[in-house]
Amino acid sequence: MALDLETRQQLIETVRRFVNEVCRPNEQLVSETNAIPEKIVQEMRDLGLFGLSIAEEYGGLGLTMEEEALVILEMGRTSPAFRSTFGTNVGIGSQGIVMFGSEEQKQQWLPKLATGEAIASFALTEPDAGSDAGSAKTRAVRDGNHYVLNGSKRYITNADKATIFTVMARTDQNTPGPKGLSAFIVERDTAGVTIGKPEKKMGQQGANVCDVIFEDARVPITSRLGEEGEGMKVAMSVLDRGRLHISALSVGIAERLVEEMVRYAAERKQFGKPIIEHQLVMGMIADSYAEAAAGRAMVMDGVRKYDAKEKTTLIAAATKMWCTEMVGRVADRAVQVHGGAGYIADYAVERFYRDVRILRLYEGTTQIQQMVIGRELQRMAKAGEI
Ligand code: COS
């Protein structure tokens, strides 16, 4: 059930305070040490951030998608590595269980995910299956009351900290495409599961991605999410939702970058006046402000449709495409407004410029969103819906 407006406002203000007083002063430290201090992670647990989307009956805050987006918009105003720490528990790591889990699976995992005692990761991508997720080769072969998993997953966010993985693996070896996949909850401690070393990345230091390798890893049949053959449905349903979450993050970052631009341009003087008074600089800031505002409106439209239980595949893809491209443009302008200073690591914009690059890649590249939009429109036209 949605929060009343006063409680909602309190929640947003609490998160804003956490961002301003705890996260922002530590952004540089997190970037340099490639880790979020445990004390800050504990504050996230205390605030309930790991359980934003998990129903109250399982110990979460049970927010609507709109409320979750409002929280993530606030979290966007600091290094996105902070959001990533709890992001998989709120989104792609937990939602397979929330949407498709049995009551037993929910009881077993959701309370621990809600408190942050357990961390969930989403394992779809493979070395040879990125955008073409349906071609995943990881195999899950039935053996009595177990499935035996073999294969490897790549670039798995939070794998180094994960307690469980939602793994998409092929149960029907004779069906090569998306229809042959099934989804599983795999515990990290399962014999035969190995986690690779964190990758060295362009940005978002403090949020790790690693390979996850399965070598004869035996998981009980009770760990399957949904029916055999429903793996792609699980993954895509989770991603439809995740794409709205990432859009909210992108808009939050864009708003932070506007703030950085305005502050710098109001102080920095050239040709005898603050550069914000130069029209070409003004133009870059104005465009960024307007685009961030448009992104916010798109996100709000998408999440309200989600909460109204409308099909959001189309709007989620369009919003993800637009908002992530938008924040890329805004980050580029933010560096431009800062001039040479924007290229120096002391300024937040240098870091954000690198941090936002992944947004156009993960949870489906811009080109995949274009493909989803095109296909959905074609489907709707055929069905006479447009
Ligand atoms: N919701 C629920 N189920 C869906 C779905 C959706 N939005 N989209 C697809 N499915 C399920 C359906 O069961 C579908 O079968 P039907 O169409 O018969 O119902 C099945 O998946 C296969 O769908 P499709 O034929 O569209 O699969 P494709 O192999 O053509 O792939 C794309 C579709 C390209 C959209 C998909 O592979 C994709 O999103 N790729 C990007 C992956 C990604 O985001 N990776 C990031 C990893 S997380 S960082």
Side-chain angles (χ1 to χ4, degrees):
M1 210 178 63
L3 300 173
D4 62 70
L5 286 183
E6 200 187 325
T7 315
R8 177 163 123 170
Q9 199 49 37
Q10 279 168 358
L11 173 69
I12 294 167
E13 274 160 26
T14 305
V15 177
R16 188 171 298 162
R17 245 193 332 272
F18 173 66
V19 165
N20 287 338
E21 292 170 13
V22 180
C23 301
R24 285 171 71 149
N26 283 292
E27 286 174 358
Q28 197 63 19
L29 174 84
V30 165
S31 169
E32 282 164 10
T33 57
N34 194 24
I36 314 270
E38 174 52 31
K39 191 170 165 288
I40 299 182
V41 178
Q42 187 54 46
E43 285 195 54
M44 291 177 181
R45 291 190 193 107
D46 295 343
L47 286 172
L49 293 175
F50 285 87
L52 294 178
S53 63
I54 294 174
E56 282 175 288
E57 58 178 307
Y58 300 107
L61 297 188
L63 300 189
T64 62
M65 190 69 213
E66 180 176 346
E67 291 158 353
E68 176 182 321
L70 291 169
V71 169
I72 299 305
L73 281 157
E74 294 301 322
M75 286 303 306
R77 291 170 156 269
T78 185
S79 164
F82 291 104
R83 192 252 10 143
S84 198
T85 304
F86 62 85
T88 52
N89 276 34
V90 170
I92 55 176
S94 69
Q95 288 299 314
I97 303 176
V98 170
M99 294 180 195
F100 295 91
S102 64
E103 191 48 44
E104 209 181 341
Q105 289 167 334
K106 289 182 184 175
Q107 295 283 359
Q108 186 179 2
W109 292 112
L110 295 183
K112 288 183 195 157
L113 296 178
T115 56
E117 180 193 338
I119 300 294
S121 275
F122 180 75
L124 172 64
T125 301
E126 297 186 358
D128 293 324
S131 289
D132 185 7
S135 71
K137 289 200 197 92
T138 294
R139 303 193 317 154
V141 176
R142 182 83 181 254
D143 179 20
N145 285 335
H146 287 79
Y147 287 92
V148 182
L149 266 66
N150 278 286
S152 52
K153 296 290 177 180
R154 180 145 289 176
Y155 308 144
I156 305 307
T157 301
N158 286 341
D160 53 330
K161 302 180 190 74
T163 322
I164 52 168
F165 298 94
T166 307
V167 179
M168 267 48 69
R170 190 162 303 282
T171 39
D172 184 349
Q173 313 309 323
N174 300 319
T175 306
K179 300 269 161 70
L181 297 175
S182 304
F184 300 90
I185 305 167
V186 180
E187 295 185 37
R188 180 217 182 90
D189 291 342
T190 309
V193 176
T194 316
I195 316 298
K197 278 210 301 249
E199 301 284 353
K200 287 189 183 159
K201 311 191 271 44
M202 179 189 284
Q204 296 212 17
Q205 276 65 35
N208 285 333
V209 301
C210 316
D211 280 359
V212 181
I213 297 133
F214 304 99
E215 289 165 303
D216 290 332
R218 293 176 71 80
V219 301
I221 50 171
T222 49
S223 298
R224 198 184 63 226
L225 278 171
E227 299 300 322
E228 273 201 11
E230 282 192 339
M232 190 71 167
K233 187 169 145 197
V234 173
M236 291 300 121
S237 307
V238 166
L239 285 171
D240 274 353
R241 188 182 184 286
R243 288 167 183 168
L244 289 170
H245 178 109
I246 294 301
S247 303
L249 174 69
S250 305
V251 172
I253 299 174
E255 291 176 351
R256 162 73 184 270
L257 289 168
V258 170
E259 179 194 317
E260 294 288 339
M261 279 189 254
V262 172
R263 216 180 24 238
Y264 184 82
E267 277 170 18
R268 171 81 174 160
K269 290 197 178 80
Q270 290 292 280
F271 304 102
K273 57 183 180 184
I275 61 171
I276 200 166
E277 290 175 23
H278 293 292
Q279 288 184 350
L280 295 176
V281 174
M282 234 181 240
M284 286 191 276
I285 298 176
D287 286 351
S288 301
Y289 173 82
E291 290 186 16
R296 187 177 263 264
M298 260 186 120
V299 168
M300 285 303 133
D301 181 44
V303 293
R304 283 175 190 150
K305 285 185 170 133
Y306 187 92
D307 286 334
K309 303 208 178 334
E310 288 180 36
K311 187 166 190 271
T312 47
T313 302
L314 176 62
I315 188 74
T319 306
K320 204 259 178 190
M321 174 182 81
W322 201 85
C323 292
T324 59
E325 290 286 329
M326 177 276 289
V327 74
R329 290 192 296 275
V330 171
D332 190 67
R333 290 187 202 117
V335 171
Q336 198 68 17
V337 166
H338 280 69
Y343 199 66
I344 303 296
D346 293 349
Y347 289 85
V349 295
E350 181 274 341
R351 195 181 56 247
F352 276 106
Y353 182 80
R354 291 182 287 105
D355 286 345
V356 300
R357 191 61 187 83
I358 187 66
L359 302 173
R360 283 185 264 167
L361 305 172
Y362 66 14
E363 301 203 20
T365 61
T366 293
Q367 291 66 34
I368 286 296
Q369 309 310 327
Q370 289 174 314
M371 184 169 144
V372 172
I373 295 165
R375 283 184 181 186
E376 277 295 296
L377 292 174
Q378 191 184 11
R379 186 191 60 73
M380 289 164 77
K382 269 194 199 149
E385 292 169 18
I386 49 173

